[in-house]
Each structure stands twice: as C-alpha cells, then as structure tokens.
Amino acid sequence: MSITGKLAVVTGGASGIGRAVCQALARNGFRCVVADLNLEDAKKTSDILEKTADGKHSAVEVDVSNGSSVASLFAKVKEFHSMPANVVVNCAGITRDGFLLDMSETQFDQVVNVNLKGTFLITKHGAQEMIAAQIPGSIVTISSVIGKTGNIGQTNYAASKAGVVGFTKSAAQELAKFNIRCNSVLPGFIDTPMIATVPEKVMSKVEGSIPLRRRGTPDEVAEVVHFLASENSSYMTGSIIEVTGGLFM
C-alpha cells in the first residue's frame, strides 16, 4: 500500500502536536486536511504546508465533540479532495485541570467530550468513509502517558486518555476485517501550548525525573505518528507506543 496520493485528516492540527503531525505527513507525500475548532490557526497550518510541501492541503473548522460537525467535516473532505481520507489522526485534546474535590461536572464533561467522545466520533466517521469506499486505512489516536499513570489535578484528563487506549484496542479488533488499522501514541511531557501553563518549578522537577532529562518536541511525536500512518507499520494494529523519554517506564 503506497503512501503516494494518501489523504490525511488531522484533528487538532492548528497547533502543537497536531501541526507537527501535519508537517511530518506532508513532507512524506500526504495531502492534509487540517481540522480544528480554531479555523484561523488551522488555515495557518495549511498555509505552512502549501509553502513547504507539495500537494493540495486544506483547513476545515470542526467541533470534534459534536456529531453533526464531524459529519460535515468528512463531507467537506470529499468535496474538497474528491476522495475520502484513508488516514485519520486524532490529535484534538484539551485540559481543564483541578483537584478532584473541587472539580466541577462541567470541567469533567468538557474534557471527556473532546478527548474521548471526539476520538470516538472522528474514528467512527472516518472508518465509515473508508469502508464505503472499500479502501484500506490507518487511524491513529493520541492518548497520553497520564492515562497510564494518572496525575494529581487531572482526574478528568487521565480518565479521558485511558479511555482512548481502551477505545483504540477495541476499534482495532473490529476494523481489522476491513483492513483498517488503529494504533495509539502516548506522549509524555512535550513542549506544546498545553503544558505552557505548568509552573517552571514543576516542569524542572518533571524533567529531572525523565531519563533523557528533557521534555520532548512535537516533531518527535509526529514522526511516530507518521510511521503508524504509513505502510511501514502495515502489520501493526491495536499497538500502544509511548513517546516519553523513558518517563514512567
């Protein structure tokens, strides 16, 4: 299965890991649909791709937690590119941190709706399009090492990301008969806008506990996603890959 002509939908593509994934895929011959709630920044990503990589790229606004919005996204993919996506990468994610005893129902629901329900909706619609077109595909979800270990102040985030792992393993078993692979990546502490609010004192302590003694870069995660999206991982499905610098081994 050649990567030539492949079309990838990347949610959360406006910044951070999502933008890096778009760049890694585009460098390797993928056309990318940059899908994000922030359409302005999604267009910036698309513009970067147009300037640095061959192929027709596009930006689409989407609320991954809303089924109608997700259905509209995949309809626009076919409208813009005259084919369904055969690669889908779930990078959209948010945090609403707080201690358990102080956390509101709204804080919990917001995180679960984007991180877990959003992964469900994007994966479901993406897989349906691949099956209808009878094309093989690759779906990659972005979980987190926090989903494996838990973290103080992040019960909602940890629960959502642990759910993504279980979801991915189950989806992999269901979709294999259609030659659609599903794998997940668990980043550790990556230098993205999501960790920008972490106090430097806390980050220094965290970095000291990482065997490689530094936080990761979005590009380092993106290269693993590219591997899972490409034919180089053709016999991998239901796999969970940690990109953590050795943290929590």
Side-chain angles (χ1 to χ4, degrees):
M1 185 171 60
S2 170
I3 67 170
T4 303
K6 275 194 172 182
L7 178 62
V9 170
V10 182
T11 68
S15 64
I17 292 173
R19 175 173 286 179
V21 166
C22 290
Q23 292 174 297
L25 294 178
R27 283 196 303 269
N28 287 278
F30 288 79
R31 289 176 292 156
C32 292
V33 178
V34 186
D36 204 286
L37 190 60
N38 185 334
L39 182 58
E40 182 178 351
D41 283 350
K43 288 179 178 178
K44 290 180 182 177
T45 298
S46 182
D47 289 343
I48 292 170
L49 302 183
E50 294 284 356
K51 293 175 182 176
T52 59
D54 293 333
K56 178 184 177 184
H57 309 284
S58 58
V60 179
E61 182 177 359
V62 66
D63 176 358
V64 298
S65 69
N66 182 286
S68 296
S69 181
V70 171
S72 176
L73 163 65
F74 283 97
K76 290 176 181 176
V77 169
K78 289 193 292 186
E79 177 186 343
F80 293 165
H81 296 277
S82 301
M83 65 177 285
N86 44 17
V87 169
V88 172
V89 185
N90 292 275
C91 290
I94 62 170
T95 56
R96 295 290 186 269
D97 295 349
F99 293 119
L100 171 62
L101 298 181
D102 301 320
M103 185 175 291
S104 69
E105 189 173 345
T106 297
Q107 283 175 290
F108 190 88
D109 287 346
Q110 286 176 334
V111 170
V112 170
N113 283 342
V114 172
N115 297 0
L116 183 54
K117 181 184 175 185
T119 296
F120 154 68
L121 290 172
I122 291 291
T123 299
K124 176 185 175 182
H125 281 270
Q128 286 176 330
E129 293 291 336
M130 295 174 197
I131 292 167
Q134 296 185 324
I135 56 175
S138 175
I139 298 172
V140 183
T141 65
I142 302 296
S143 179
S144 169
V145 72
I146 299 303
K148 173 184 174 182
T149 65
N151 194 37
I152 293 172
Q154 291 193 307
T155 52
N156 50 1
Y157 185 76
S160 70
K161 291 301 189 177
V164 167
V165 170
F167 170 84
T168 303
K169 289 183 175 182
S170 299
Q173 294 180 48
E174 293 187 21
L175 297 176
K177 65 182 178 182
F178 302 107
N179 202 13
I180 298 171
R181 300 181 296 107
C182 298
N183 296 287
S184 191
V185 177
L186 275 62
F189 284 86
I190 309 299
D191 199 5
T192 67
M194 187 173 284
I195 69 166
T197 58
V198 178
E200 191 58 38
K201 181 179 179 180
V202 175
M203 273 312 309
S204 295
K205 184 177 181 181
V206 170
E207 288 175 8
S209 66
I210 298 172
L212 289 183
R213 291 295 187 268
R214 64 176 177 85
R215 69 191 75 176
T217 69
D219 288 340
E220 289 173 312
V221 179
E223 289 299 334
V224 176
V225 173
H226 165 245
F227 167 71
L228 292 174
S230 77
E231 62 185 358
N232 293 330
S233 59
S234 58
Y235 198 55
M236 292 177 65
T237 195
S239 297
I240 311 300
I241 301 180
E242 296 183 23
V243 185
T244 67
L247 184 66
F248 303 129
M249 287 190 297

